[in-house]
Amino acid sequence: MMDYEKSLQSTGTLQRVVKLNTLSSNNPGLVDGIMYGIVIGKVELRIFEGSDRHQRSVLNFTFRDSIKDFINVAYWLPPKDLMIISSKFTIGDVVALHYPTVKPKLDDKANNYTPWTPLSFELSLNEKSYMEKVEGPKAKQYELLASVPCRAGHDYYTLTQVVTHGEQLIKKTNGINVLAGVQQIGTLKTIRTRRQRETDYDNEEKQLLEILLFDGETSGVWLTFWDSEQIKFAQRWIPEEHIIFCISVRVRYDEYKKVYGLTATRNSLFTVNPDTNESVQLYESMRSIPIDDLLNVAVDGGFNTLQAVIVTIKELKQYIFNGDSNDTFIVQCFLSHFDLDGPLNQVITKKCIFCNRSIRDNNGIIKCTEAECRMKLLEQTSDDNLTTKDGFNLNVHLTDHTGTITNVKLGDDIARKMLKCSVDEFILMSDEEKTKLKWTYLLEKIRFGIQIKNSANYTKPVIRIACLFSREYLPSSINDE
């Protein structure tokens, strides 16, 4: 039996509350009542010219009123009126729909541009309908639905599968589901589109937002948003706190970054911190691993992954030769020279305890020559008067299918993270143990973040490893859907 309550309209008349599970595509037409639910998806309105040469517009959003039931809604109004209505609600808001119309679902081609829903019909709103945002106690029961995913908790691909099997997954035109954590939210960019996109905004200036995703095994996968409503929603996500269940996102190959990533489309939905066992396990896994181990082992202020250019060794050498302004790169390669078991003075260096710079032996005296460090040394009150510490400092060679680059600096921070040992522990290792440790990494494929630094003290740019990405193990296969 239907509930009854007072309408929020000025008439003060009683309206019955209608639930989605009471409606059917076999009984299309006007719903005589009010429907409450939460907006779980929304895309920016589209404006086009109607058959009568008057502009029309439609606003599409996805509405949910129970764990099982959610549906697509199309609101049709003149552009000026619809823009006002659209500005009053966003994804995650609870709304009331007055007098919607039930319509059978459109054909499969049309459904490619709206999210999948479990019901055989959709709702339409027009000039005779009314919609409003709901707050307070009435909204609380529907806000709980925000954490209920729109697919089974185990129905997703991992980021490792996206990275390693992107060529297969890119063929899934309906998109894939992904469960991942938010690593970093990029800066909102404005660009001019140059090719056809599903958002129908060719040759227009558009905004895009890139979100860096990670999980317990893989990091460095970008999720790109082109839709302004989805962008506003994604900008509210909190790095390292929010797990996102991404529904129907497209796998794409980024020609600029030369890596597979994800793109949100008009039929994508996103659940923040979904109430599933898989989400809880992922969150606990990520919280147990230091964030530096997952992505950025930062030096000198950090490595900005979103601004880095993904290159081959040949392209990296060309960038250096050309003296281009970009100084951060990502390269997937292997270590072809990693002399851990060589002379100790080629692996470990003395560093100033104050400025952390490497110190050269000056006629048997090993002290920092910086005036500020010498002053700090004079101010020391302890008896030991320590001025130096030991740190890793190696020159390595990086190789891929396009070539080799030599004399790449592998500094103390990255080396300790990579070798998983301190300098003191390394010094105590036998030659056999050092050789075994070397072959753990030699000729193994690894993704590095590279920084190029120009200095007046050097005739050539200094090339060094500034970021160590987590190892990505290849799954044996991906089952076709």
Side-chain angles (χ1 to χ4, degrees), residues 288-341:
S288 66
I289 304 172
I291 202 67
D292 283 352
D293 289 346
L294 280 171
L295 180 62
N296 295 338
V297 180
V299 293
D300 285 0
F303 183 84
N304 192 328
T305 310
L306 288 174
Q307 293 181 0
V309 179
I310 297 179
V311 294
T312 63
I313 295 295
K314 182 179 180 180
E315 290 168 336
L316 177 62
K317 293 167 77 171
Q318 190 63 47
Y319 269 101
I320 297 169
F321 178 79
N322 294 339
D324 290 322
S325 58
N326 195 304
D327 62 353
T328 54
F329 304 88
I330 295 174
V331 59
Q332 183 162 292
C333 58
F334 57 86
L335 290 163
S336 52
H337 177 79
F338 192 38
D339 200 13
L340 282 181
D341 49 0

Side-chain angles (χ1 to χ4, degrees), residues 172-191:
K172 295 183 180 295
T173 55
N174 291 328
I176 65 170
N177 308 330
V178 171
L179 182 70
V182 178
Q183 165 62 38
Q184 187 177 351
I185 297 179
T187 303
L188 191 62
K189 301 176 184 177
T190 301
I191 69 169

Side-chain angles (χ1 to χ4, degrees), residues 402-421:
T402 66
T404 297
I405 189 165
T406 61
N407 294 322
V408 179
K409 301 292 183 183
L410 177 61
D412 188 54
D413 287 343
I414 309 298
R416 280 190 287 107
K417 292 287 186 180
M418 185 173 176
L419 302 177
K420 295 180 175 62
C421 71

Side-chain angles (χ1 to χ4, degrees), residues 59-158:
L59 177 65
N60 295 101
F61 60 95
T62 306
F63 173 90
R64 184 173 211 157
D65 72 353
S66 69
I67 291 176
K68 292 183 178 181
D69 300 318
F70 54 97
I71 195 171
N72 292 318
V73 183
Y75 205 147
W76 297 87
L77 280 177
K80 184 178 179 181
D81 298 330
L82 197 53
M83 286 179 185
I84 294 173
I85 290 174
S86 179
S87 68
K88 293 182 178 179
F89 76 99
T90 187
I91 299 173
D93 287 340
V94 175
V95 297
L97 309 180
H98 299 257
Y99 304 112
T101 299
V102 174
K103 290 188 174 182
K105 273 188 177 177
L106 299 175
D107 56 40
D108 291 339
K109 185 176 180 181
N111 286 332
N112 287 335
Y113 299 96
T114 55
W116 173 88
T117 62
L119 302 175
S120 60
F121 59 93
E122 55 191 18
L123 296 178
S124 179
L125 302 169
N126 53 33
E127 292 88 346
K128 298 179 181 179
S129 309
Y130 179 68
M131 177 179 174
E132 60 191 337
K133 183 177 175 180
V134 178
E135 297 176 319
K138 184 65 181 177
K140 294 296 182 184
Q141 60 180 302
Y142 296 101
E143 289 173 351
L144 297 175
L145 297 173
S147 61
V148 179
C150 300
R151 292 289 197 281
H154 61 273
D155 181 15
Y156 64 88
Y157 288 93
T158 65

